[in-house]
Amino acid sequence: MKIVVVGAGRTGRRVVEHLSKNHDVIVVDKDPETIEELQDLDVLTVEGDGSIPDTLEEAEVAEADYLIATTNDDTVNIIVCSLAKMIGDPFTIARVKRMEYLRLWGRGRKALGVNLMVSSIPLVAKSIANVIGFSGLRVLRDLYGPLFVGDAVDVPEGVWSVEVAGRRVVVGTLEELERAYSPTKHSRVLILGASEMGVLLGEMLLHKGCDVKIVERDKAKAEKAASVLEDATLVVGNPLSTTLWKEEELDEADVAVAAFDSDEETLMGGMLSIDRGIERTFAIVHDGGLIRLFEGAGLIAVSPEVVTADRIVLATRGRKVLGLVAAIPGVRVLAIEVDESLEGREPSELPGILGPVLRKGEVILPTAVFHLQKGDIVTLILEEERAGELVL
Amino acid sequence: MRLKATFALLGEIVALLGLTLIAPMLVAIHNGTPIKPFLIPLILSTGLGLAMRSLDRNPEIGMKEAFLLVSLAWLFVAIIGALPYMISGRSSLANPINALFESMSGFTTTGATVLDNFNEPSQAILFWRQLTQWLGGMGIVVLAIAILPRLSIGGAELMSLEAPGPQLQKLTPHIRQTARIFWGIYVGLTLLETGILTLLHYLGLAPRMTPYMALVHSFTTMSTGGFSPLALSIEAFSPAVQWVVIVFMILAGANFALFWYLLRGDFRIARNEEFRWYVAILLVLSLILVPMLMRQYGFSFPTAFRQALFQVASIVTTTGYATMNFALWSLPAQFVLFFAMFIGGSSGSTAGSIKVVRWVVAIKAVFRELFQSFHGRSVKPIKLGGRIVDERSVRGVLAFIVLYFVVFLVSSVLVVLNGTTTGKPIPLADAMSAVAATLGNIGPGVGSIGPMANYLIFPTGTKILMFFLMWLGRLEIVTALVLFTRSYWKW
């Protein structure tokens, strides 16, 4: 397939890395240095402003199957999609940061010439809100239908699990997982930083019935957040100050989330939180390349960049792939619909490990002599490195 | 430095080259001449290649290793290519130094020869000599990228180090496709020329241009190599053949990417600044030569124009064919050709030397210096075809030209010195033209190494120097020269 990617920042680059092996990718960026850094990837590059029609025509948008706009500017991304729709007829994907656009787009899905609008903020907030009460899991994401995928610290009996890339991956329905892990309903959650991500997460957690306390250095930001989150406690002060931690009894939280806008501050805040005895501390890592560093510090890293890139890659996967979870570092979990080409295959003939299967709405656990039937929805667990080359 | 990975990939290229020896072997089998000269290197290089390949199962290399890989590939290829000459043991090529010289001259499409008697080697050996030029023309590494999947990772960097010109123009998202397009156009044009020449033969316009001759001359036209299995080069053929060869030499010296666009109905070739300069240079230099040739030889205008255009195209595109012995031309006429040796074809072609696009950028940069000397505060970007050339590229072009002339001057002095110390004095002018002809991958020079002469007059030391000059010239100096800097080998 022909795919044009406009904007090769961190998210754009991640998307390109995934797609370049199997597709013809043309990347547009206006920064010559960014273009230079793409030289190690097998793609065609066009230096220029993607919001100018000429640049898009040079990038052969007229013949493209997909157009992915991932610049840092929401308005540019939307304009690029609209222009692309006038030049050709690609499936357009726009990444946006501001929730207002996402809400507007949600009202009429075809608005603005954008076929799919992706924003990292709700994706990340939701993924943390999902798992917050499960002390035995680092990650919990919905894959497809009733099936959920988790990254387990420990695996209780009665849960399907497999070890891939040093991670214990569990797959099951939400009821199964809740029965096995018995999550706490009303956690006390401390959020460090009233960033957009932090505020939205706070909103979701309050909704779930959690107690939320947010610490923010900037008074104006804190006030704005307080007006949105009436039931949360907004503390203004230095989140890294130990006196503040004592005064506000922050260390009594069950779970903490470091959600600053800068990764440096997030790492400091997260490490402080662990040091103060909050073992279960999440960290929002903007630079996906630093995930290992954060994990090394004992934090549960969630990267908006990775989550966004995977949502975009999933959209280009075509009809066969119904769901994708990539929030577990080093691991990919896919939900795939079995068609003629996969029918009758045995588990050993698949390009990954076969997990629970959905057959006619029921969950079946696979055995060694399992035969795939048309219409089955199978879960496939594989190492991240191999996912880019996955051919189905 | 990931040496294992580098040598593993080098092994693939070596093995690939080994397989190309099958072609001359078939010629030898057909003629009933010995196949040993091809069979031994074939077994040796595929064996060595496969052994090297197993050094690293999943080789990945970076920019730094790319320099080493491409440079070594061309050395290894030249050494393997020399084996048939040595093993066959006939003619002046049996001498190992001569064999290495001839092989490097072949693969780098230089066309300088140390073969004195064209009747001595078997037809299969002469076929191999032609084939080396054709393989080297579009590039061994480009071929490897087009065929071998493991080389397509990081292939763009490898290809840019081998491809002539300051920049590699990627045509498609995948480098493998681009390599295939380049090779496809190359094969297509070679077949087209073979077809036209064969047609001329059957129409009775080219009695000596048999289908075999048409093929082996197309090999060395499209690669801008210039080897011919005949001592007389293209002088042996009729004017009709000469015109066809002129056209294909000019095509071979143009940017192949432009042909690709042309095939897709995109006529940017007509607007391409380098291409226009390239054609203008060919015409202007020929027209300067026409009156000189008319006076010296009493030619009519059409004959003089054909002779002038042929030799100019041959030298500018760095092919090195000749339709007359231009070493006997008047001194001013010879000087025009000497000057032409430093121009070179277009970027993205199979030609050697400095390249038209570099001269265009350099001359624009010089004019800018003049302009800015009295407009000290002015800003004036250099443009090429309406697009701004970034300053780093401009500096790169200027540095390349300086480097080219430094290598040229130092080597000329070394050639003269070596001649004097071995008791075979070489005139300075001959030494300079020989160095320009090897460094620029042209082949024949003026003076005592004219198109009908050979490089046997030079002492062994000089031949070894020229072996490396041809290598440097094909890799456009920088790729190979960085290996000789200390910092390259440090962390």
Side-chain angles (χ1 to χ4, degrees), chain B residues 102-320:
Chain B
E102 195 79 4
S103 175
M104 187 60 99
S105 172
F107 280 109
T108 60
T109 72
T110 303
T113 187
V114 284
L115 178 61
D116 49 358
N117 187 343
F118 280 71
N119 295 321
E120 277 176 349
S122 68
Q123 195 190 20
I125 288 285
L126 288 178
F127 179 79
W128 173 240
R129 190 167 161 268
Q130 299 295 109
L131 188 66
T132 57
Q133 293 211 317
W134 191 68
L135 291 171
M138 190 39 80
I140 308 286
V141 175
V142 181
L143 180 65
I145 292 167
I147 296 177
L148 306 170
R150 288 214 290 186
L151 272 136
S152 61
I153 305 157
E157 278 161 3
L158 292 176
M159 206 159 139
S160 71
L161 291 179
E162 191 192 59
Q167 237 165 5
L168 169 75
Q169 196 173 0
K170 224 174 160 189
L171 301 173
T172 56
H174 292 289
I175 193 67
R176 201 162 169 202
Q177 282 171 320
T178 299
R180 284 180 175 174
I181 287 168
F182 272 112
W183 260 93
I185 293 172
Y186 186 54
V187 170
L189 285 172
T190 308
L191 292 178
L192 184 66
E193 190 190 352
T194 311
I196 293 175
L197 290 176
T198 312
L199 192 69
L200 288 181
H201 176 68
Y202 287 115
L203 288 176
L205 290 168
R208 299 186 63 182
M209 189 53 85
T210 59
Y212 173 76
M213 282 293 170
L215 178 69
V216 297
H217 281 97
S218 299
F219 277 172
T220 57
T221 318
M222 280 320 298
S223 60
T224 71
F227 271 160
S228 168
L230 304 170
L232 273 178
S233 185
I234 309 297
E235 196 179 349
F237 299 103
S238 62
V241 169
Q242 296 181 7
W243 273 113
V244 172
V245 172
I246 288 175
V247 170
F248 280 91
M249 281 196 294
I250 294 173
L251 290 179
N255 189 341
F256 278 44
L258 296 173
F259 300 150
W260 186 69
Y261 287 116
L262 203 58
L263 284 175
R264 304 201 337 162
D266 180 341
F267 290 87
R268 67 176 75 182
I269 188 165
R271 302 186 305 271
N272 184 276
E273 193 168 345
E274 185 185 23
F275 185 72
R276 293 170 126 188
W277 276 108
Y278 168 62
V279 173
I281 288 166
L282 290 172
L283 288 178
V284 168
L285 289 180
S286 307
L287 291 175
I288 293 173
L289 282 173
V290 166
M292 298 184 188
L293 294 184
M294 284 168 82
R295 193 175 319 129
Q296 193 184 350
Y297 290 94
F299 286 151
S300 64
F301 178 80
T303 311
F305 183 66
R306 172 170 48 84
Q307 292 288 10
L309 184 58
F310 192 99
Q311 320 316 318
V312 166
S314 167
I315 298 294
V316 168
T317 64
T318 74
T319 307

Side-chain angles (χ1 to χ4, degrees), chain B residues 160 163-169 274 346-348 354-358 361 384 393 396-397 400 476:
Chain B
S160 71
Q167 237 165 5
L168 169 75
Q169 196 173 0
E274 185 185 23
S346 315
S347 57
I354 292 176
K355 308 277 166 350
V356 174
V357 71
R358 288 205 178 93
V361 169
L384 195 66
S393 308
V397 164
F400 176 83
E476 303 209 313

Side-chain angles (χ1 to χ4, degrees), chain A residues 255-389:
Chain A
V255 182
V257 182
F260 297 102
D261 282 322
S262 93
D263 284 349
E264 291 86 342
E265 216 177 345
T266 300
L267 181 62
M268 288 279 276
M271 287 173 81
L272 178 66
S273 161
I274 288 176
D275 183 54
R276 305 297 302 185
I278 307 178
E279 268 177 46
R280 201 163 151 75
T281 300
F282 292 82
I284 311 289
V285 191
H286 293 280
D287 187 340
L290 297 176
I291 288 175
R292 283 176 59 109
L293 179 77
F294 279 77
E295 297 224 304
L299 296 159
I300 303 169
V302 183
S303 172
E305 171 201 326
V306 175
V307 174
T308 314
D310 289 323
R311 182 68 193 88
I312 293 172
V313 172
L314 170 65
T316 62
R317 275 283 188 187
R319 245 175 252 154
K320 257 198 236 173
V321 180
L322 302 172
L324 182 146
V325 168
I328 308 168
V331 182
R332 265 310 123 88
V333 185
L334 301 161
I336 298 160
E337 186 172 6
V338 175
D339 62 0
E340 290 82 5
S341 65
L342 290 172
E343 201 181 352
R345 281 208 223 177
E346 285 177 34
S348 60
E349 296 169 326
L350 291 169
I353 296 156
L354 182 66
V357 177
L358 266 183
R359 183 174 288 170
K360 294 182 188 109
E362 273 186 60
V363 181
I364 307 171
L365 295 183
T367 53
V369 284
F370 188 84
H371 282 274
L372 300 185
Q373 284 178 17
K374 201 180 161 192
D376 283 355
I377 290 154
V378 297
T379 52
L380 207 58
I381 300 107
L382 58 158
E383 279 179 46
E384 189 180 18
E385 283 147 31
R386 290 181 52 204
E389 288 144 39

Side-chain angles (χ1 to χ4, degrees), chain A residues 20-26 36 39-44 47 58 60, chain B residues 152 154 156-157 170-178 260 264 387 392:
Chain A
S20 64
K21 281 173 196 149
N22 293 335
H23 304 287
D24 290 347
V25 181
I26 300 179
E36 184 74 32
Q39 295 312 313
D40 59 324
L41 297 177
D42 205 4
V43 295
L44 199 60
E47 189 189 316
E58 197 187 333
E60 298 174 20
Chain B
S152 61
E157 278 161 3
K170 224 174 160 189
L171 301 173
T172 56
H174 292 289
I175 193 67
R176 201 162 169 202
Q177 282 171 320
T178 299
W260 186 69
R264 304 201 337 162
R387 285 188 171 231
R392 231 181 89 191

